[in-house]
């Protein structure tokens, strides 16, 4: 990843500050566009009354897989910097789960690469979510066909 | 004979009540290994059935079931991913 000017890939249990992360990619004068995506824990998923989430991942494979996805994006678009932060462990309602930030000279590359990274992350990176409901029950989230069909536009 | 490390994740880990194990097997491919695991009983047959979508990674790369196994491989079995 040396030829990306800036590259950050963190899998962590600790919360992160999305706005600081985005801000840190706006300082390079070669960047004309910074596009970000923040995925949040919402109250209605496969079940309603969700109060939190438990996130599991396959340590080692996750990092390799995300690096590969970033390389794929770099082959398609001219991008200067990528930040991916994904939380694991226990998350509360409304907390950010994932942040993807892409910086580029031009907006089109940044928009496209950010969406591409998220589409691949959701279908390739070994993370699994468990919804925790207000009544104390918890359920593993089932994979969505719509996430897989989202990949077709990149073929 | 080869020694493999098997790792399970998410719903599959919960259903089997198992995080990881070391096994010794003659299985040449993933498909044969999965058949061996199904021989363990009804629970394994159900968890590794065609209707229950599962994925397999060897040495941390997702693979198809015809992949040939080597001694010392790390084989992970997990449901389709749901991150992001």
């Amino acid at each position: 990843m040396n030829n990306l000017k800036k590259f950050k890939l963190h899998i962590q249990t600790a919360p992160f500050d999305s706005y600081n992360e985005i801000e840190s990619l706006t300082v390079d004068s070669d960047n004309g566009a910074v596009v970000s995506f923040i995925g949040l824990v919402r109250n209605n998923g496969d079940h309603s009354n969700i109060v939190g989430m438990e996130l599991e991942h396959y340590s080692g494979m996750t990092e390799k897989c995300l690096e590969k996805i970033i390389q794929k994006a770099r082959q398609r678009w001219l991008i200067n910097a990528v930040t991916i932060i994904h939380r694991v462990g226990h998350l509360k309602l409304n907390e950010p789960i994932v942040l993807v930030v892409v910086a580029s000279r031009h907006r089109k590359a940044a928009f496209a690469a950010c969406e591409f990274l998220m589409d691949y992350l959701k279908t390739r990176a070994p993370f699994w979510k468990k919804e925790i409901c207000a009544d104390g029950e918890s359920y593993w989230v089932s994979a969505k066909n719509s996430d897989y069909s989202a990949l077709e536009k990149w073929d | 004979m080869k020694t493999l490390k098997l790792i399970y994740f998410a719903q599959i880990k919960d259903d089997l009540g198992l995080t990881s194990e070391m096994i010794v097997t003659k299985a040449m491919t993933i498909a044969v290994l999965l058949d061996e695991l199904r021989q363990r009983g009804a629970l394994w047959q159900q968890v590794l059935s065609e209707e229950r979508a599962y994925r397999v990674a060897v040495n941390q790369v997702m693979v198809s079931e015809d992949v040939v196994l080597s001694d010392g491989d790390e084989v992970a079995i997990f449901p389709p991913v749901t991150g992001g």
Side-chain angles (χ1 to χ4, degrees), chain A:
Chain A
M1 300 289 168
N2 312 342
N3 31 8
L4 265 184
K5 280 184 164 178
K6 246 181 156 178
F7 167 69
K8 182 173 184 175
L9 173 57
H10 286 183
I11 314 297
Q12 60 187 56
T13 52
F16 54 83
D17 184 335
S18 303
Y19 300 99
N20 264 344
E21 298 294 340
I22 296 166
E23 185 73 30
S24 74
L25 295 192
T26 61
V27 294
D28 184 339
S29 55
D30 193 43
N31 290 338
V34 176
V35 169
S36 63
F37 172 84
I38 305 171
L40 305 167
V41 180
R42 68 170 190 277
N43 58 0
N44 280 289
D46 287 0
H47 296 82
S48 46
N49 296 317
I50 292 166
V51 294
M53 257 182 188
E54 200 65 43
L55 262 133
E56 185 172 307
H57 81 121
Y58 184 0
S59 181
M61 178 169 168
T62 313
E63 291 82 354
K64 278 189 210 169
C65 186
L66 291 174
E67 281 176 18
K68 210 182 289 172
I69 294 168
I70 292 168
Q71 288 296 2
K72 273 189 188 206
R74 293 193 51 249
Q75 286 161 10
R76 299 178 70 132
W77 298 282
L78 207 62
I79 49 185
N80 289 337
V82 172
T83 296
I84 298 181
I85 304 177
H86 202 300
R87 283 187 67 194
V88 292
H90 186 76
L91 280 78
K92 293 195 278 268
L93 186 65
N94 282 37
E95 282 189 331
I97 303 167
V98 59
L99 171 72
V100 175
V101 192
V102 179
S104 174
R105 286 188 164 191
H106 302 290
R107 75 181 186 287
K108 282 197 173 164
F111 270 124
C114 189
E115 189 179 14
F116 175 92
L117 290 171
M118 267 315 296
D119 284 350
Y120 271 84
L121 183 153
K122 285 194 81 82
T123 49
R124 295 282 198 277
F127 292 101
W128 299 275
K129 285 187 194 130
K130 196 185 222 178
E131 294 174 348
I132 302 163
C133 298
D135 62 6
E137 293 292 319
S138 60
Y139 309 90
W140 289 104
V141 171
S142 55
K144 307 292 180 291
N145 285 332
S146 56
D147 287 333
Y148 286 86
S149 49
L151 282 187
E152 290 164 12
K153 68 173 166 293
W154 306 114
D155 285 345

